[in-house]
Amino acid sequence: MSATRIETDSFGRIEVSGNALWAAQTERSRRFFAIGEQTMPLALIHALAEIKRAAAETNGELGLLDPVKAEVIAAVAARVAAGEFDAQFPLSVWQTGSGTQSHMNVNEVIASLASQALGGGLGSQRSVHPNDEVNLGQSSNDIFPTAMHVAAVLASTPLLAALADLRAALQAKAQAFAGTIKMGRTHLQDATPVTLGQEFGGYAAQLSIAEQSLRHALPAVHSLAIGGTAVGTGLNTHPEFAARAAHKLAQRLGHPFKVADNLFAAMAGHEPLVALHGGLKTLAVALTKIANDIRLMGSGPRAGLGELRLPANEPGSSIMPGKVNPTQVEALTMVCIQVMGHDLAVSLAASQGQFELNVYKPLIAANLLDSLRLLGDAMNSFREHCVEGIEVDAARVQALLESSLMLVTALTPHIGYDRAALIAKHAHANGSSLREAALSVGGVSADEFDRWVDARLMLRPQ
């Protein structure tokens, strides 16, 4: 094949690499939007290809597209969706706000592949038209947001699996640590006792709440903008096209996709994706708290709390021999901060656009898909390389429990708040044990103290 070839579109002629399957519209975008290094997510490209496959099959069934071409377009679209031609999608995220250029990138590549399959060539020799045939009954304004929803739903599946696995790992630790009594802490100060199992059970419950938020948002994401074409009216589309194509997507991909009840809302706004990303932000908030607790309980090993032993996966310092750091916690919490930032960007982007179209679609898609992938990967890594290997330093936990002044709370029902506070202050000021302070201050016998101040009895209502 020659080093270059000439492609033509409504703006005229343009030179394209001879090895490229794309055509003029893709090439113009590649040249005019050389912005940053972020290319359109492949998950979105694959979703577009799945839609093209369903559209070609539907148009063939409706008699709108030559059946042979419909079959070939569907076949090559399936190959694109499977990732066989990922190198043919070079366009930047930072392009037109409707995603038209990446949409046409998919149309042009599929048209070239279909043309070759039918014995044609590229450029002027192409026998399948990217607009008239691959894009029949479609517009970027309805197909790109449809792809955003399809890609988001598909990417949610591994994320929810990772979330379930991490929750199960935390619950397993809750059961394993059920008998380990330790000091609770509020305001980073000593509080009354809890079990380590209660703490880890709380972490698992936090993730359950975050999961509920995500699952509550997903049904709206199953509603697709397909069929709205340019402005939501469905101009140039067969009345049965959208429902048939959505049904094919649902059957093939295993999710309950359907045409949105209101296509104007589906194209002009992206509230379902905002809600889904809001669930990801909720998850990021919960994960940050959980990870930081584990980081603090594992701090040390000598000068920190040291209640937990975290897995030592790699050296932690280039200068301090033997140092080990909570690196899985650090990676997870950095991901969570990134997701929180993405959430602000998604929210602002979804508030933009005018009248019948939101024109920040690539930004929303890129950030949402990035958040889904990052959180899923980070939860898997955190579970596998940190949570599952956590051990308890029982001696350290017991020593901290026995030295805590907040066990004095158990005396309050018997001797009152003020006298109990006096005992705690006396113990702190004199460096004595709580028991020694109680006997010194008076009003509590040794037998009473031993009966009343029992950490095991402070774990539940009495």
Side-chain angles (χ1 to χ4, degrees):
M1 184 176 292
S2 63
T4 62
R5 69 176 191 274
I6 299 298
E7 287 280 352
T8 304
D9 63 6
S10 60
F11 270 67
R13 293 157 57 87
I14 190 169
E15 194 174 34
V16 177
S17 169
N19 295 321
L21 293 173
W22 64 76
Q25 293 192 53
T26 301
E27 184 64 23
R28 294 187 194 284
S29 180
R30 194 179 71 83
R31 295 186 189 185
F32 298 156
F33 296 92
I35 302 173
E37 298 180 351
Q38 293 170 278
T39 55
M40 194 62 69
L42 288 171
L44 187 69
I45 298 297
H46 298 161
L48 281 166
E50 288 286 3
I51 295 163
K52 296 299 165 182
R53 181 182 182 184
E57 293 171 343
T58 300
N59 284 323
E61 291 171 1
L62 292 172
L64 302 175
L65 185 61
D66 176 80
V68 174
K69 285 189 176 182
E71 182 178 353
V72 172
I73 291 171
V76 298
R79 294 171 65 193
V80 172
E84 191 174 337
F85 300 98
D86 286 351
Q88 296 294 325
F89 303 99
L91 299 188
S92 172
V93 166
W94 313 110
Q95 54 170 275
T96 176
S98 61
T100 298
Q101 291 147 6
S102 281
H103 179 215
M104 282 308 304
N105 187 183
V106 172
N107 285 333
E108 289 178 341
V109 169
I110 290 175
S112 293
L113 290 168
S115 177
Q116 290 176 331
L118 292 169
L122 303 177
S124 61
Q125 305 301 313
R126 185 183 293 112
S127 58
V128 176
H129 198 282
N131 297 81
D132 295 338
E133 293 170 313
V134 179
N135 196 54
L136 179 62
Q138 304 155 69
S139 165
S140 297
N141 295 351
D142 67 331
I143 296 305
F144 197 86
T146 295
M148 291 165 67
H149 279 224
V150 170
V153 169
L154 295 180
S156 294
T157 299
L159 174 118
L160 289 170
L163 174 53
D165 289 344
L166 177 56
R167 188 181 69 245
L170 291 169
Q171 192 59 53
K173 289 297 179 182
Q175 294 171 357
F177 299 155
T180 301
I181 303 174
K182 64 182 289 287
M183 286 313 304
R185 297 182 179 88
T186 57
H187 303 271
L188 287 180
Q189 305 294 306
D190 295 355
T192 56
V194 298
T195 70
L196 192 57
Q198 287 172 326
E199 286 186 322
F200 272 75
Y203 302 152
Q206 283 182 272
L207 293 190
S208 292
I209 294 170
E211 182 178 357
Q212 290 170 20
S213 176
L214 288 165
R215 292 194 182 279
H216 181 74
L218 273 172
V221 187
H222 292 132
S223 294
L224 307 179
I226 191 168
T229 62
V231 295
T233 60
L235 177 67
N236 291 352
T237 291
H238 190 285
E240 297 179 24
F241 170 81
R244 288 192 182 207
H247 181 66
K248 289 181 184 298
L249 288 169
Q251 284 189 314
R252 182 169 291 127
L253 301 178
H255 294 276
F257 294 117
K258 64 183 183 66
V259 179
D261 293 335
N262 189 300
L263 295 176
F264 296 95
M267 294 164 58
H270 289 300
E271 287 75 17
L273 299 183
V274 173
L276 180 60
H277 204 287
L280 297 178
K281 182 185 71 173
T282 300
L283 175 58
V285 168
L287 287 169
T288 300
K289 194 273 182 185
I290 294 164
N292 279 330
D293 278 7
I294 289 173
R295 184 207 311 255
L296 289 170
M297 284 190 283
S299 60
R302 298 287 178 87
L305 296 181
E307 294 173 323
L308 298 180
R309 297 193 188 101
L310 307 186
N313 296 320
E314 69 280 311
S317 172
S318 61
I319 190 173
M320 293 176 280
K323 195 174 193 301
V324 178
N325 295 327
T327 50
Q328 289 295 318
V329 168
E330 292 164 4
L332 176 60
T333 51
M334 284 193 290
V335 162
C336 290
I337 296 299
Q338 179 78 342
V339 170
M340 293 178 201
H342 281 351
D343 189 72
L344 175 59
V346 167
S347 299
L348 291 173
S351 73
Q352 301 301 310
Q354 296 78 36
F355 302 114
E356 277 65 62
L357 189 68
N358 174 282
V359 290
Y360 289 69
K361 298 184 193 302
L363 185 157
I364 295 170
N367 282 6
L368 175 58
L369 293 172
D370 193 46
S371 292
L372 286 163
R373 176 65 185 270
L374 284 174
L375 280 174
D377 287 353
M379 285 190 292
N380 281 332
S381 184
F382 182 61
R383 170 186 53 78
E384 180 180 357
H385 302 298
C386 182
V387 173
E388 291 177 351
I390 289 175
E391 298 177 344
V392 179
D393 187 331
R396 176 66 173 166
V397 168
Q398 186 63 27
L400 291 174
L401 178 65
E402 291 176 352
S403 66
S404 174
L405 301 179
M406 288 304 99
L407 295 178
V408 76
T409 307
L411 293 176
T412 303
H414 305 284
I415 64 175
Y417 183 95
D418 291 339
R419 192 161 187 81
L422 183 64
I423 291 171
K425 290 179 179 179
H426 182 89
H428 185 57
N430 293 279
S432 65
S433 70
L434 201 60
R435 189 176 191 275
E436 291 169 339
L439 297 181
S440 177
V441 170
V444 178
S445 69
D447 179 66
E448 288 172 330
F449 185 92
D450 292 340
R451 283 190 291 110
W452 293 339
V453 183
D454 185 340
R456 294 170 299 178
L457 302 179
M458 301 176 70
L459 301 174
R460 59 190 61 85
Q462 295 294 319

